Amino acid sequence: MSMNVSEYIWHRVQEWGVKRVYGYPGDGVGGLDVALEKTKKTLQYVQVRHEEMAAFMASAHAKFTGEVGLCFATSGPGAIHLLTGLYDAKMDHVPAVAIVGQTARTGIGAHYQQEVDLQSLFKDVAGDFVATAMVPSQIRHLIDRAFRIAQTRRTVTCVIVPNDLQLLPYEEPPMAHGTTHTGTGYAGPAELPNDALLSQAAAVLNAGKKVAMLIGAGALGATDELIAVAERLQAGCAKALLGKAALPDDLPWVTGSLGLLGTEPSWDLMQGCDTFLMIGSCFPYSEFLPKPGSARGVQIDIDGTRLSLRYPMEVNMVGDSAVTLRALLPLLEQKPADRWRKGIETGVAKWWKTLEKRAMEPADPINPQRVFWELSKRLPENCIMTGDSGSVANWYARDIKMRRGMMGSLSGSLASLGAATPYAIAAKMAFPERVVIAFIGDGAMQMNGLNEMITISKYWKEWSNPRLIVMVLNNRDLNQVTWEERVQLGDGKTESTQSIPDFPYHKYAELLGLKGIFVDDPERLGAAWDEALAADRPVILECYTDPNVPPLPPHITLKDAKNFMTMMGTEPELGSVLKNSARQVLASVLPGGKD
């Protein structure tokens, strides 16, 4: 069957196993738009409200499914808009392919309308592979290499297709000098370190008396293996934020998140260990890891460039987390239950009680921690959660008890505002039968979340299970940055930059034919979650919360304390800040948590 270039592109991506593409139309991809309509029975097109959202959805699709995420956009401004979401995929090491249009080949170099130097524009975000098609016989190898490189290197690639090329008849590359003949299919990475490295790693781990494990997104498929190794070593396990779903939080030796959004037990675990096993993580904050030299280190990662990047490891192994741990387990000696493991479990149990006390402290009108605490015990089986950047990430990291079978993700290394809603849409498109819950602050909701609610209203009736909840923390404040100014800079809230307009998010849901729920009474939070989880359509749950409840770090440094004291002279909401801070600190140390 004869095809034009655009029709062949969609045919070829399907041969790579792609079932869904996120995008927005334009004359720079007119041929691709027309061809896509012809493939709608086999390739689902998800029309977003803004190209940045298409790239975020491609990133989220890769995170939740393990497949390559695919997005496309028109030339000029459309291509530019993709960048933030593509950087999210690049920095969190997930595979995504972007197909973008370009000015007609005859107009390139003529300062033509919407002509942008796309090769240069995408050279950083898609540095491993970005190429412009100039003749039809190139298309096959450009698509093949974009997908193979994205998968192999877990990164972003880009194919640029000028719009006049899109309607030309597709041609197979000839058998001639200067051509190449590619095929589809991905073999997967080399997964197993050699026996000598496994033996060295086992020797280090067997010699340790106080083993700490840190797991990340690279260990999401290794839950059984992680549990077996942790039990054999009698280790405690902390989690990087993107690895939150790798181990359930109901295991008594799982200490929760590590870092600025982390827990006290995770801090104690890292400071007290003598042996450190890091699996599938590129956790960025070295100050939360053991002091170099205080613990012997072993690391497993599929990407050798990320070994010994945060901590000077004694044994470095390139391999798949599950495969490597399975090979390592028979070499490990069973350690006895002792004070180390018992101390970890005691600390974890105490921490969960502390979190509950903090969540139940009064605020004006709602303590944001209680929003998450009330949901945590109501989470449906196998639900998928997405978090935005900002203070919601703190509460998601700490107060949500992840159970086995659940998934959760957010913009990790890029920490971009506005990712939760497109992430939730991608999750729902990939798993329409599962309940999806997005946590988003009002700043992110105003930035782009409101627009993507229109996308939800467009597609929700196609889902086998219509339940998708977008929970908005309405605190009229760009809250995370406000607290960073207070604690990191020693300055009070700068109202001109931090205060944002109030908006009736729940009423906006009703305008779209969705369900809106508003709650400003902490005693009604549980009922509000029950109502949202039982709804017959997507929901915006708007929680009117207090912006001055502090996201306390797991370890308060002298510098943090000094900055907090300095901030008092310029803080316009000092009374509320002091009252809430005192309640949160005292909840950690006083029985019952009363001030």
Side-chain angles (χ1 to χ4, degrees), residues 441-514:
D442 46 3
M445 194 66 172
Q446 291 182 19
M447 179 177 282
N448 57 36
L450 289 169
N451 284 345
E452 286 312 308
M453 293 305 302
I454 301 173
T455 304
I456 291 171
S457 73
K458 176 179 171 69
Y459 290 107
W460 75 269
K461 292 181 181 178
E462 301 176 9
W463 300 331
S464 56
N465 180 348
R467 290 185 292 170
L468 186 159
I469 302 167
V470 177
M471 188 286 296
V472 184
L473 283 187
N474 183 352
N475 56 28
R476 291 77 58 206
D477 181 44
L478 298 175
N479 198 231
Q480 185 77 2
V481 173
T482 294
W483 277 103
E484 287 171 349
E485 288 179 354
R486 288 166 175 158
V487 177
Q488 295 180 11
L489 301 181
D491 284 306
K493 176 179 177 178
T494 54
E495 293 182 295
S496 61
T497 65
Q498 299 310 108
S499 295
I500 61 174
D502 200 351
F503 182 87
Y505 304 97
H506 66 293
K507 292 183 180 179
Y508 182 74
E510 295 167 359
L511 286 175
L512 296 173
L514 308 177

Side-chain angles (χ1 to χ4, degrees), residues 34-316:
V34 172
L36 193 53
E37 179 71 13
K38 298 176 183 178
T39 66
K40 61 184 179 182
K41 291 184 179 179
T42 55
L43 181 64
Q44 183 186 23
Y45 167 52
V46 180
Q47 181 203 75
V48 300
R49 312 275 64 79
H50 187 284
E51 292 91 350
E52 180 181 311
M53 301 295 97
F56 270 129
M57 291 179 199
S59 176
H61 178 91
K63 290 180 178 182
F64 288 127
T65 67
E67 303 165 353
V68 177
L70 178 62
C71 59
F72 86 106
T74 191
S75 55
I80 295 167
H81 287 162
L82 289 175
L83 289 177
T84 303
L86 292 178
Y87 271 107
D88 179 61
K90 175 186 174 73
M91 294 180 69
D92 282 344
H93 310 289
V94 295
V97 173
I99 297 174
V100 297
Q102 176 58 297
T103 297
R105 291 169 295 170
T106 52
I108 293 175
H111 190 60
Y112 205 77
Q113 184 187 28
Q114 290 195 340
E115 182 192 353
V116 172
D117 183 357
L118 297 180
Q119 283 280 158
S120 297
L121 181 75
F122 284 92
K123 191 57 184 173
D124 183 51
V125 73
D128 285 295
F129 186 79
V130 53
T132 301
M134 300 307 292
V135 295
S137 56
Q138 276 182 287
I139 289 295
R140 181 170 120 188
H141 75 252
L142 294 185
I143 294 296
D144 288 350
R145 280 180 55 73
F147 274 86
R148 185 169 285 112
I149 290 169
Q151 286 185 314
T152 302
R153 298 181 181 168
R154 302 182 61 81
T155 192
V156 172
T157 59
C158 177
V159 177
I160 302 163
V161 189
N163 63 2
D164 62 325
L165 183 69
Q166 295 168 24
L167 297 178
L168 294 181
Y170 170 70
E171 299 173 3
E172 286 286 321
M175 288 297 294
H177 188 69
T179 66
T180 189
H181 298 259
T182 56
T184 59
Y186 173 59
E191 296 183 327
L192 186 62
N194 63 48
D195 289 344
L197 278 175
L198 289 168
S199 295
Q200 290 175 37
V204 171
L205 296 169
N206 287 334
K209 298 186 180 301
K210 298 183 289 185
V211 181
M213 294 167 58
L214 173 60
I215 59 176
L220 286 171
T223 301
D224 287 332
E225 292 81 4
L226 290 167
I227 292 172
V229 168
E231 292 288 13
R232 184 73 55 88
L233 297 174
Q234 289 294 290
C237 282
K239 301 187 284 187
L241 193 51
L242 290 177
K244 184 173 173 65
L247 278 175
D249 287 308
D250 50 15
L251 294 171
W253 40 266
V254 171
T255 61
S257 297
L258 181 68
L260 292 167
L261 314 185
T263 71
E264 284 185 18
S266 292
W267 168 265
D268 294 339
L269 177 74
M270 292 296 151
Q271 301 311 303
C273 70
D274 64 14
T275 310
F276 178 37
L277 173 58
M278 191 171 179
I279 306 164
S281 176
C282 194
F283 178 80
Y285 305 120
S286 294
E287 69 270 26
F288 288 91
L289 301 180
K291 184 179 178 181
S294 66
R296 301 178 72 185
V298 174
Q299 187 175 359
I300 302 166
D301 202 290
I302 201 70
D303 183 350
T305 67
R306 299 203 288 274
L307 295 170
S308 278
L309 180 61
R310 311 299 184 195
Y311 188 85
M313 297 293 179
E314 188 171 336
V315 182
N316 297 280

